[in-house]
C-alpha cells in the first residue's frame, strides 16, 4: 500500500487542475456551501483542506479568529501557505489577521483541543471503516459545547441515474487508492 502522505505530495501540483477538469467548480461550491455561520467563530479545525481554497474562502468570509489546518501532505500545506500569502497580498485585510497554525500530521494520530468549528471537506472518504469508527468520535469530542461540524463528501442522489458522475467518482477513488493508499 502506498504511503498516503507521499501520494498526496505527488498529487499536490496537479490537484486543483484535476479537480477543475473533472468536476468544474462543483466541489468548491459544495465545500463552501455551509460556511457562512450566523456569527464569527472562535477556533476552526480544517482537516485535509487540499491546497487551501477552503481556508482562503473562510478568511474572505471572516469565519474564524484562529485556525488549525491539518493535512497529511507537506506539499499540500506548502500549496495552502502560498495561496494564503497571495490572498493577504491582494486583499485589504481589516484589523488583525487570524492566527493560522499549519500541522502536517495524520489527524487520527494527533491530539486535538476543543474547536468551535470542525471542517472535513472531501476527506472522510479517504479513511476505511475501522479508521472512521475511531476518527468520527474523536472529531466529535473535539467540538466545543456549541460547536459545529461541516463535512462535505461525494453523494449521488438516489433515483437520478447519473452514469458520468458515478464513473468520475469511481475513477477518482481508483486514483486516490492507487497513488495515496
Amino acid at each position: 500500500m502506498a504511503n498516503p502522505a507521499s501520494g498526496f505530495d505527488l498529487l499536490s501540483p496537479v490537484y486543483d487542475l484535476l479537480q477543475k477538469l473533472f468536476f468544474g467548480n462543483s466541489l468548491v461550491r459544495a465545500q463552501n456551501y455551509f460556511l457562512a455561520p450566523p456569527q464569527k467563530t472562535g477556533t476552526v479545525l480544517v482537516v485535509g483542506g487540499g491546497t487551501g481554497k477552503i481556508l482562503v474562502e473562510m478568511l474572505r468570509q471572516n469565519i474564524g479568529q484562529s485556525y488549525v489546518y491539518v493535512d497529511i501532505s507537506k506539499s499540500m500545506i506548502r500549496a495552502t501557505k502560498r495561496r494564503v500569502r497571495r490572498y493577504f497580498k491582494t486583499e485589504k485585510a481589516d484589523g488583525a489577521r487570524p492566527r493560522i497554525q499549519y500541522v502536517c500530521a495524520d489527524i487520527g494520530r494527533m491530539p486535538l483541543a476543543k474547536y468551535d468549528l470542525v471542517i472535513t471537506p472531501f476527506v472522510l472518504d479517504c479513511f476505511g471503516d475501522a479508521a472512521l469508527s475511531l476518527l468520527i468520535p474523536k472529531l466529535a469530542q473535539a467540538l466545543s459545547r456549541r460547536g459545529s461540524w461541516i463535512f462535505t463528501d461525494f453523494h449521488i442522489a438516489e433515483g437520478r441515474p447519473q452514469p458520468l458522475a458515478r464513473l468520475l467518482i469511481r475513477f477518482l477513488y481508483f486514483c486516490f487508492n492507487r497513488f495515496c493508499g
Side-chain angles (χ1 to χ4, degrees):
M1 177 186 290
N3 175 358
S6 63
F8 282 105
D9 284 344
L10 289 172
L11 190 60
S12 149
V14 294
Y15 185 80
D16 290 334
L17 176 66
L18 291 175
Q19 183 182 48
K20 182 83 166 170
L21 182 66
F22 284 101
F23 299 101
N25 290 323
S26 62
L27 296 185
V28 173
R29 280 193 320 269
Q31 74 183 13
N32 294 340
Y33 188 80
F34 291 106
L35 280 184
Q39 56 193 357
K40 188 168 183 170
T41 301
T43 57
V44 179
L45 172 65
V46 180
V47 180
T51 59
K53 286 182 181 181
I54 193 165
L55 180 57
V56 168
E57 184 60 29
M58 287 186 288
L59 294 170
R60 244 186 223 115
Q61 292 187 36
N62 197 26
I63 286 178
Q65 295 172 349
S66 66
Y67 298 85
V68 177
Y69 195 87
V70 180
D71 202 290
I72 198 166
S73 164
K74 289 178 185 174
S75 186
M76 290 288 193
I77 288 177
R78 280 194 300 272
T80 298
K81 287 179 176 179
R82 281 192 302 272
R83 188 178 299 270
V84 168
R85 277 194 301 272
R86 278 194 312 268
Y87 167 75
F88 280 122
K89 281 182 183 177
T90 60
E91 296 295 316
K92 293 181 176 40
D94 296 339
R97 290 184 182 181
R99 194 178 107 250
I100 305 170
Q101 176 187 4
Y102 299 94
V103 180
C104 184
D106 177 341
I107 190 68
R109 296 176 187 215
M110 68 176 278
L112 297 178
K114 290 289 185 183
Y115 303 94
D116 299 311
L117 180 61
V118 172
I119 298 182
T120 53
F122 295 101
V123 72
L124 295 180
D125 61 344
C126 293
F127 295 90
D129 291 343
L132 280 175
S133 69
L134 299 172
L135 182 60
I136 289 174
K138 179 179 182 172
L139 290 172
Q141 290 173 357
L143 284 172
S144 64
R145 188 169 182 271
R146 295 195 173 267
S148 298
W149 183 348
I150 299 173
F151 72 93
T152 311
D153 221 325
F154 294 103
H155 175 74
I156 299 174
E158 294 296 322
R160 293 180 57 196
Q162 298 175 350
L164 181 58
R166 289 183 197 285
L167 181 66
L168 287 175
I169 290 172
R170 283 187 183 171
F171 177 71
L172 181 73
Y173 282 141
F174 169 79
C175 291
F176 273 73
N177 282 331
R178 178 80 173 120
F179 294 106
C180 305

